[in-house]
Amino acid sequence: MNASRPLISIVIPTRDRAALLRETLDSVRGQTYDNWEAIVVDDHSKDETGEQTRQAGIRDSRIRFIAMTEKTGAPAARNLGVENARGEFVIYLDSDDLLAPYCLADRVEVVKAHPELDFAVFPCQLFRNTAGDTQLLWNVKTEEDDLDRFLKLDVPWQTTSPIWRKEAIKKVG
């Protein structure tokens, strides 16, 4: 584990998803790239999400837990996570998503090679029950206009797809 400032902050909003969140955090801990922090922002869970995440943080200091003071939803949780992020880059990860083991390494390679980019978007593979159980990819680059794709339910990108420079997020507000 890297004791210095993390390069990537992974912001994970959640509510009542303890079982799924455990798998999500396992996928984060399974990365080939280790200079990250995971910030789990809980929006008033009534299950064991809070205690489970606190325990995960004891086992791995890169995992941090923040409890929201008001019940306001995932977008507000993401914003609170970014406010507390120490990394230069931010990835939003929903609490029912998984990262492939090479995800962070691939993204870091691209953003380091392209310092002019505020963000970069990567493909995501969808799954129903377990990773790899479908071959459906989101965010595959095409020549078609993104709005036209969106209107046909071919989503140009999903929440987890981009890696953002934290400074770019701050500019947008």
Side-chain angles (χ1 to χ4, degrees):
M1 285 182 264
N2 192 326
S4 67
R5 180 176 157 210
L7 185 64
I8 300 174
S9 296
I10 304 162
V11 176
I12 307 170
T14 193
R15 181 162 187 251
D16 294 327
R17 286 190 150 171
L20 292 171
L21 180 60
R22 186 176 308 115
E23 290 181 64
T24 298
L25 290 174
D26 285 348
S27 79
V28 173
R29 281 194 300 268
Q31 294 299 297
T32 59
Y33 182 85
D34 69 354
N35 191 7
W36 54 264
E37 69 175 345
I39 304 168
V40 177
V41 184
D42 183 47
D43 190 14
H44 296 86
S45 290
K46 291 178 179 29
D47 66 4
E48 63 273 10
T49 295
E51 184 56 30
Q52 175 182 294
T53 306
R54 285 183 194 90
Q55 291 300 316
I58 291 169
R59 291 187 303 276
D60 188 332
S61 62
R62 298 173 295 177
I63 299 171
R64 297 169 45 209
F65 177 77
I66 300 173
M68 295 187 69
T69 56
E70 295 180 33
K71 189 173 169 186
T72 52
R78 288 184 189 99
N79 290 341
L80 182 59
V82 169
E83 287 173 26
N84 286 275
R86 297 178 302 174
E88 179 181 345
F89 301 101
V90 173
I91 292 175
Y92 297 112
L93 183 63
D94 288 342
S95 57
D96 62 348
D97 290 341
L98 304 175
L99 297 179
Y102 51 82
C103 176
L104 298 183
D106 286 357
R107 292 178 186 203
V108 165
E109 183 179 327
V110 169
V111 294
K112 282 186 172 181
H114 297 280
E116 73 281 7
L117 296 178
D118 286 337
F119 68 95
V121 179
F122 293 79
C124 292
Q125 184 175 21
L126 273 61
F127 64 92
R128 301 208 190 298
N129 297 308
T130 59
D133 66 3
T134 75
Q135 295 302 310
L136 182 60
L137 288 177
W138 270 359
N139 316 326
V140 177
K141 184 163 176 44
T142 70
E143 298 303 316
E144 191 172 4
D145 180 78
D146 285 345
L147 180 57
D148 291 336
R149 290 178 66 190
F150 179 77
L151 292 173
K152 292 187 329 188
L153 303 179
D154 177 15
V155 181
W157 81 49
Q158 189 265 352
T159 307
T160 302
S161 302
I163 182 170
W164 300 87
R165 288 189 191 279
K166 185 178 175 187
E167 289 304 315
I169 295 172
K170 285 181 172 180
K171 281 185 216 173
V172 173

